[in-house]
Amino acid sequence: MAKAKTQQAHTGKAPTAAPTAKTTYHACYKRFAPQAMALPDRDVEVCRADVRIAFANVKRGVQAACADPARIRKALPELPLDDVLALPDLGRALVFAATRVTAKPASSGEIEAKLKVVIELREPMLTLAETLAKRGLLPKDVVAEIRAGSGKYDLASDGMALAHLYEEHAVALRGKHPFSQEELDQLREASEWLLDTLTPEGARRPAAKQRGEAETMRDRLWTLLVRRYADLRKIGYYFHGDAFEEVTPKLLSRVSSTAVDDVSEEVEAESGGGEDVGEDGNHGAVSQPAVAASP
Protein backbone atom coordinates (compact mmCIF):
# COMPACT_ATOMS: atom_id res chain seq x y z
CA MET A 1 0.00 0.00 0.00
CA ALA A 2 1.35 3.40 -0.95
CA LYS A 3 2.97 5.41 1.79
CA ALA A 4 1.38 8.57 0.43
CA LYS A 5 -1.78 7.69 2.33
CA THR A 6 -0.12 8.84 5.53
CA GLN A 7 -0.84 12.43 4.56
CA GLN A 8 -4.58 12.10 3.99
CA ALA A 9 -6.34 15.15 5.34
CA HIS A 10 -8.73 14.84 8.26
CA THR A 11 -12.29 15.56 7.23
CA GLY A 12 -12.98 17.74 10.24
CA LYS A 13 -16.27 15.96 10.83
CA ALA A 14 -17.39 15.29 14.38
CA PRO A 15 -17.17 11.59 15.23
CA THR A 16 -20.48 9.81 14.90
CA ALA A 17 -19.47 7.17 17.43
CA ALA A 18 -16.78 8.61 19.64
CA PRO A 19 -14.76 6.33 21.91
CA THR A 20 -16.58 5.44 25.12
CA ALA A 21 -16.58 8.21 27.71
CA LYS A 22 -14.34 7.44 30.66
CA THR A 23 -16.08 5.45 33.35
CA THR A 24 -14.78 3.87 36.54
CA TYR A 25 -12.34 0.98 36.25
CA HIS A 26 -14.69 -1.28 38.18
CA ALA A 27 -17.58 -0.45 35.84
CA CYS A 28 -15.36 -1.23 32.85
CA TYR A 29 -14.36 -4.52 34.46
CA LYS A 30 -17.98 -5.56 34.99
CA ARG A 31 -18.85 -4.53 31.44
CA PHE A 32 -16.18 -6.65 29.75
CA ALA A 33 -16.01 -9.60 32.16
CA PRO A 34 -18.89 -11.52 30.47
CA GLN A 35 -17.29 -11.06 27.04
CA ALA A 36 -13.94 -12.26 28.36
CA MET A 37 -15.50 -15.30 30.01
CA ALA A 38 -17.17 -16.23 26.72
CA LEU A 39 -13.77 -16.86 25.09
CA PRO A 40 -12.97 -20.55 24.53
CA ASP A 41 -10.47 -21.83 27.10
CA ARG A 42 -8.09 -22.99 24.37
CA ASP A 43 -7.77 -19.45 23.01
CA VAL A 44 -6.85 -17.72 26.27
CA GLU A 45 -3.32 -16.28 26.45
CA VAL A 46 -1.45 -15.82 29.72
CA CYS A 47 -0.81 -12.15 30.39
CA ARG A 48 2.83 -11.49 31.23
CA ALA A 49 2.68 -7.90 30.03
CA ASP A 50 3.10 -4.60 31.76
CA VAL A 51 -0.53 -3.64 31.36
CA ARG A 52 0.23 0.06 31.86
CA ILE A 53 2.28 0.07 28.64
CA ALA A 54 -0.46 -1.79 26.76
CA PHE A 55 -3.07 0.66 28.06
CA ALA A 56 -0.97 3.67 27.04
CA ASN A 57 -0.55 2.28 23.50
CA VAL A 58 -4.26 1.49 23.27
CA LYS A 59 -5.27 5.03 24.17
CA ARG A 60 -2.68 6.49 21.81
CA GLY A 61 -3.74 4.24 18.94
CA VAL A 62 -7.48 4.83 19.25
CA GLN A 63 -7.01 8.57 19.52
CA ALA A 64 -4.74 8.69 16.45
CA ALA A 65 -6.51 6.20 14.18
CA CYS A 66 -10.19 6.66 15.05
CA ALA A 67 -10.73 10.41 14.96
CA ASP A 68 -13.33 9.99 12.20
CA PRO A 69 -15.41 6.84 12.82
CA ALA A 70 -17.83 7.60 9.96
CA ARG A 71 -14.95 7.51 7.48
CA ILE A 72 -13.76 4.18 8.89
CA ARG A 73 -17.25 2.64 8.73
CA LYS A 74 -17.54 3.63 5.08
CA ALA A 75 -14.13 2.26 4.14
CA LEU A 76 -14.19 -0.87 6.33
CA PRO A 77 -17.86 -1.80 6.84
CA GLU A 78 -17.09 -5.36 8.01
CA LEU A 79 -14.69 -4.31 10.74
CA PRO A 80 -16.18 -4.31 14.31
CA LEU A 81 -15.55 -0.61 14.89
CA ASP A 82 -17.60 -0.34 18.08
CA ASP A 83 -15.29 -2.89 19.70
CA VAL A 84 -12.26 -0.91 18.56
CA LEU A 85 -13.65 2.37 19.90
CA ALA A 86 -14.24 0.69 23.26
CA LEU A 87 -10.59 -0.43 23.56
CA PRO A 88 -9.63 2.26 26.13
CA ASP A 89 -12.34 1.03 28.47
CA LEU A 90 -11.25 -2.57 27.86
CA GLY A 91 -7.77 -1.43 28.83
CA ARG A 92 -9.15 0.00 32.07
CA ALA A 93 -10.86 -3.33 32.76
CA LEU A 94 -7.53 -5.11 32.23
CA VAL A 95 -5.71 -2.73 34.58
CA PHE A 96 -8.39 -3.36 37.21
CA ALA A 97 -8.05 -7.13 36.81
CA ALA A 98 -4.25 -7.02 36.96
CA THR A 99 -4.38 -4.98 40.14
CA ARG A 100 -6.60 -7.60 41.75
CA VAL A 101 -3.95 -10.24 41.03
CA THR A 102 -1.34 -8.30 43.02
CA ALA A 103 -3.76 -7.21 45.73
CA LYS A 104 -3.51 -8.52 49.27
CA PRO A 105 -6.53 -10.25 50.81
CA ALA A 106 -8.89 -7.84 52.51
CA SER A 107 -8.23 -7.38 56.21
CA SER A 108 -10.90 -7.62 58.87
CA GLY A 109 -10.47 -3.87 59.43
CA GLU A 110 -11.21 -3.12 55.77
CA ILE A 111 -14.29 -5.34 55.88
CA GLU A 112 -15.56 -3.65 59.04
CA ALA A 113 -15.01 -0.19 57.51
CA LYS A 114 -17.09 -1.10 54.45
CA LEU A 115 -19.76 -2.69 56.63
CA LYS A 116 -19.97 0.50 58.68
CA VAL A 117 -20.75 2.51 55.54
CA VAL A 118 -23.49 0.06 54.55
CA ILE A 119 -25.01 -0.19 58.05
CA GLU A 120 -25.15 3.59 58.54
CA LEU A 121 -26.96 4.14 55.22
CA ARG A 122 -29.03 0.96 54.94
CA GLU A 123 -31.52 1.44 57.78
CA PRO A 124 -32.59 5.05 57.08
CA MET A 125 -32.81 4.34 53.34
CA LEU A 126 -34.75 1.11 53.88
CA THR A 127 -37.14 2.63 56.43
CA LEU A 128 -37.97 5.48 54.08
CA ALA A 129 -38.25 3.05 51.15
CA GLU A 130 -40.92 1.14 53.08
CA THR A 131 -42.89 4.36 53.59
CA LEU A 132 -42.51 5.27 49.91
CA ALA A 133 -43.64 1.78 48.92
CA LYS A 134 -46.83 2.17 50.98
CA ARG A 135 -47.56 5.32 48.99
CA GLY A 136 -47.06 3.53 45.71
CA LEU A 137 -43.79 5.21 44.79
CA LEU A 138 -41.67 2.05 45.09
CA PRO A 139 -42.48 -1.62 44.45
CA LYS A 140 -43.58 -3.20 47.75
CA ASP A 141 -42.31 -6.69 46.93
CA VAL A 142 -38.80 -5.44 46.15
CA VAL A 143 -38.61 -3.41 49.35
CA ALA A 144 -39.93 -6.34 51.41
CA GLU A 145 -37.29 -8.64 49.91
CA ILE A 146 -34.56 -6.17 50.86
CA ARG A 147 -35.81 -6.15 54.47
CA ALA A 148 -35.69 -9.95 54.72
CA GLY A 149 -32.54 -11.86 55.64
CA SER A 150 -29.57 -11.21 57.90
CA GLY A 151 -25.79 -11.45 58.04
CA LYS A 152 -22.90 -9.51 56.52
CA TYR A 153 -23.36 -10.81 52.99
CA ASP A 154 -27.07 -10.03 53.12
CA LEU A 155 -26.29 -6.50 54.36
CA ALA A 156 -24.09 -5.98 51.32
CA SER A 157 -26.83 -7.33 49.03
CA ASP A 158 -29.30 -4.96 50.66
CA GLY A 159 -27.01 -2.00 50.15
CA MET A 160 -26.53 -2.67 46.46
CA ALA A 161 -30.26 -3.28 45.99
CA LEU A 162 -31.19 -0.05 47.81
CA ALA A 163 -28.76 2.05 45.79
CA HIS A 164 -30.16 0.57 42.59
CA LEU A 165 -33.75 1.07 43.76
CA TYR A 166 -33.30 4.78 44.52
CA GLU A 167 -31.45 5.36 41.25
CA GLU A 168 -33.93 3.36 39.16
CA HIS A 169 -36.84 5.42 40.52
CA ALA A 170 -34.95 8.72 40.70
CA VAL A 171 -37.54 10.65 38.69
CA ALA A 172 -40.50 9.53 40.85
CA LEU A 173 -38.52 10.12 44.06
CA ARG A 174 -37.11 13.53 43.20
CA GLY A 175 -37.57 15.81 46.21
CA LYS A 176 -39.03 12.99 48.32
CA HIS A 177 -35.89 11.76 50.11
CA PRO A 178 -32.84 13.43 51.70
CA PHE A 179 -30.13 11.14 50.32
CA SER A 180 -27.49 12.64 48.05
CA GLN A 181 -26.02 11.00 44.96
CA GLU A 182 -22.72 10.83 46.82
CA GLU A 183 -24.34 8.75 49.57
CA LEU A 184 -25.94 6.43 47.02
CA ASP A 185 -22.55 6.00 45.33
CA GLN A 186 -20.86 5.30 48.66
CA LEU A 187 -23.47 2.67 49.51
CA ARG A 188 -23.22 0.98 46.13
CA GLU A 189 -19.40 0.96 46.10
CA ALA A 190 -19.08 -0.39 49.66
CA SER A 191 -21.73 -3.04 48.98
CA GLU A 192 -20.12 -4.20 45.73
CA TRP A 193 -16.73 -4.41 47.42
CA LEU A 194 -18.18 -6.56 50.19
CA LEU A 195 -19.99 -8.85 47.75
CA ASP A 196 -16.71 -9.41 45.91
CA THR A 197 -14.80 -10.00 49.15
CA LEU A 198 -17.17 -12.06 51.30
CA THR A 199 -18.68 -15.48 50.80
CA PRO A 200 -22.45 -15.84 51.28
CA GLU A 201 -21.68 -17.13 54.77
CA GLY A 202 -19.93 -13.85 55.56
CA ALA A 203 -16.36 -15.13 55.71
CA ARG A 204 -13.47 -13.83 53.66
CA ARG A 205 -12.72 -15.73 50.50
CA PRO A 206 -9.52 -17.79 50.57
CA ALA A 207 -6.61 -15.76 49.21
CA ALA A 208 -5.55 -18.54 46.84
CA LYS A 209 -9.03 -18.74 45.31
CA GLN A 210 -9.22 -14.97 44.96
CA ARG A 211 -5.87 -14.84 43.22
CA GLY A 212 -6.76 -17.72 40.92
CA GLU A 213 -10.01 -16.07 39.87
CA ALA A 214 -8.25 -12.74 39.35
CA GLU A 215 -5.51 -14.30 37.22
CA THR A 216 -8.10 -16.08 35.08
CA MET A 217 -9.98 -12.86 34.40
CA ARG A 218 -6.78 -10.90 33.77
CA ASP A 219 -5.68 -13.45 31.14
CA ARG A 220 -9.09 -13.47 29.48
CA LEU A 221 -9.30 -9.68 29.32
CA TRP A 222 -5.76 -9.57 27.97
CA THR A 223 -6.71 -12.05 25.22
CA LEU A 224 -9.75 -9.94 24.33
CA LEU A 225 -7.58 -6.83 24.19
CA VAL A 226 -5.00 -8.47 21.93
CA ARG A 227 -7.69 -9.63 19.51
CA ARG A 228 -9.41 -6.28 19.28
CA TYR A 229 -6.18 -4.31 19.07
CA ALA A 230 -5.41 -6.26 15.89
CA ASP A 231 -8.49 -4.64 14.33
CA LEU A 232 -7.22 -1.21 15.35
CA ARG A 233 -3.92 -1.92 13.58
CA LYS A 234 -5.88 -2.90 10.46
CA ILE A 235 -7.40 0.56 10.50
CA GLY A 236 -3.96 2.09 10.93
CA TYR A 237 -2.57 0.13 8.00
CA TYR A 238 -5.52 0.86 5.72
CA PHE A 239 -5.28 4.62 6.15
CA HIS A 240 -1.55 5.04 6.79
CA GLY A 241 0.14 2.29 4.84
CA ASP A 242 3.71 1.45 5.86
CA ALA A 243 3.66 4.23 8.45
CA PHE A 244 0.89 2.55 10.44
CA GLU A 245 3.36 1.58 13.19
CA GLU A 246 3.66 5.26 14.07
CA VAL A 247 -0.11 5.54 14.51
CA THR A 248 -0.92 2.13 15.98
CA PRO A 249 2.27 0.75 17.55
CA LYS A 250 2.65 -2.83 18.66
CA LEU A 251 0.67 -3.34 21.81
CA LEU A 252 3.74 -3.68 24.02
CA SER A 253 6.02 -1.22 22.24
CA ARG A 254 7.90 0.85 24.75
CA VAL A 255 6.29 4.25 25.07
CA SER A 256 7.65 7.45 26.56
CA SER A 257 7.92 7.63 30.32
CA THR A 258 5.45 10.50 30.15
CA ALA A 259 2.80 8.25 28.59
CA VAL A 260 3.28 5.61 31.26
CA ASP A 261 3.24 8.28 33.95
CA ASP A 262 -0.06 9.57 32.56
CA VAL A 263 -1.55 6.08 32.83
CA SER A 264 -0.18 5.65 36.36
CA GLU A 265 -1.66 9.00 37.36
CA GLU A 266 -5.04 7.97 35.95
CA VAL A 267 -4.89 4.69 37.89
CA GLU A 268 -3.91 6.47 41.10
CA ALA A 269 -6.61 9.10 40.63
CA GLU A 270 -9.15 6.32 40.13
CA SER A 271 -8.09 4.50 43.29
CA GLY A 272 -8.38 7.66 45.34
CA GLY A 273 -11.59 8.90 43.80
CA GLY A 274 -14.24 6.55 45.12
CA GLU A 275 -14.28 3.29 43.15
CA ASP A 276 -11.73 0.76 44.37
CA VAL A 277 -9.20 0.07 41.64
CA GLY A 278 -7.76 -2.78 43.67
CA GLU A 279 -11.00 -4.12 45.01
CA ASP A 280 -9.35 -6.40 47.50
CA GLY A 281 -7.65 -3.62 49.37
CA ASN A 282 -4.72 -2.62 47.15
CA HIS A 283 -4.79 0.97 45.95
CA GLY A 284 -1.33 1.12 44.41
CA ALA A 285 -0.17 1.11 40.82
CA VAL A 286 -0.12 -2.15 38.90
CA SER A 287 3.12 -4.09 39.01
CA GLN A 288 3.73 -6.60 36.24
CA PRO A 289 6.71 -8.65 35.04
CA ALA A 290 8.85 -7.37 32.19
CA VAL A 291 7.96 -8.55 28.70
CA ALA A 292 10.44 -10.09 26.33
CA ALA A 293 8.54 -9.66 23.08
CA SER A 294 5.65 -7.66 21.66
CA PRO A 295 2.64 -9.27 19.99
Side-chain angles (χ1 to χ4, degrees):
M1 187 167 291
K3 194 170 182 177
K5 281 195 173 186
T6 59
Q7 301 301 320
Q8 286 182 342
H10 188 277
T11 64
K13 295 179 181 178
T16 57
T20 310
K22 180 181 178 297
T23 53
T24 66
Y25 281 51
H26 192 188
C28 293
Y29 177 83
K30 291 193 294 183
R31 172 184 170 190
F32 289 102
Q35 299 173 44
M37 289 305 298
L39 293 171
D41 291 344
R42 65 179 179 276
D43 294 340
V44 176
E45 302 177 24
V46 176
C47 176
R48 297 188 177 90
D50 184 330
V51 297
R52 295 169 303 168
I53 291 176
F55 183 29
N57 282 323
V58 161
K59 292 202 297 182
R60 172 187 169 190
V62 172
Q63 183 178 18
C66 299
D68 191 349
R71 181 178 174 219
I72 298 170
R73 291 187 197 279
K74 182 177 180 180
L76 301 168
E78 300 300 319
L79 188 139
L81 183 57
D82 289 339
D83 289 344
V84 172
L85 293 173
L87 274 168
D89 276 354
L90 178 54
R92 293 183 177 95
L94 174 61
V95 170
F96 183 93
T99 307
R100 297 186 78 188
V101 173
T102 61
K104 297 177 182 178
S107 67
S108 58
E110 290 170 321
I111 292 173
E112 291 305 317
K114 297 291 186 182
L115 280 170
K116 182 180 179 181
V117 173
V118 175
I119 291 170
E120 289 181 351
L121 291 171
R122 173 187 177 274
E123 189 56 37
M125 284 190 183
L126 182 52
T127 299
L128 181 55
E130 288 171 331
T131 300
L132 294 169
K134 290 178 182 177
R135 300 198 172 191
L137 294 172
L138 290 175
K140 290 183 179 180
D141 56 337
V142 173
V143 175
E145 187 175 348
I146 295 174
R147 174 62 77 182
S150 61
K152 294 179 180 179
Y153 194 87
D154 190 71
L155 278 172
S157 298
D158 290 351
M160 188 172 67
L162 278 168
H164 176 72
L165 188 67
Y166 275 88
E167 290 174 350
E168 184 180 22
H169 298 274
V171 175
L173 300 182
R174 185 173 294 131
K176 296 181 174 63
H177 69 81
F179 308 114
S180 66
Q181 185 61 48
E182 182 180 3
E183 288 175 312
L184 292 172
D185 290 342
Q186 288 175 346
L187 179 61
R188 186 190 71 253
E189 291 160 11
S191 299
E192 289 179 350
W193 186 92
L194 286 166
L195 289 172
D196 280 340
T197 304
L198 300 174
T199 65
E201 292 75 30
R204 278 175 285 177
R205 288 178 178 170
K209 181 180 179 182
Q210 281 185 330
R211 185 175 177 84
E213 292 172 348
E215 287 177 337
T216 296
M217 187 55 69
R218 176 205 61 191
D219 294 345
R220 286 179 169 276
L221 287 166
W222 167 251
T223 303
L224 198 61
L225 188 80
V226 170
R227 286 185 169 191
R228 294 184 179 181
Y229 194 73
D231 288 326
L232 177 64
R233 281 168 63 82
K234 290 176 185 177
I235 294 172
Y237 185 75
Y238 184 88
F239 289 104
H240 299 275
D242 294 338
F244 81 106
E245 292 275 10
E246 299 173 13
V247 180
T248 53
K250 290 182 179 179
L251 191 54
L252 296 177
S253 295
R254 290 292 165 180
V255 294
S256 68
S257 58
T258 301
V260 177
D261 288 344
D262 287 345
V263 167
S264 297
E265 287 176 6
E266 181 177 327
V267 173
E268 289 169 6
E270 172 76 10
S271 67
E275 198 85 51
D276 293 294
V277 177
E279 208 175 20
D280 298 313
N282 178 11
H283 298 282
V286 178
S287 176
Q288 293 291 329
V291 181
S294 301

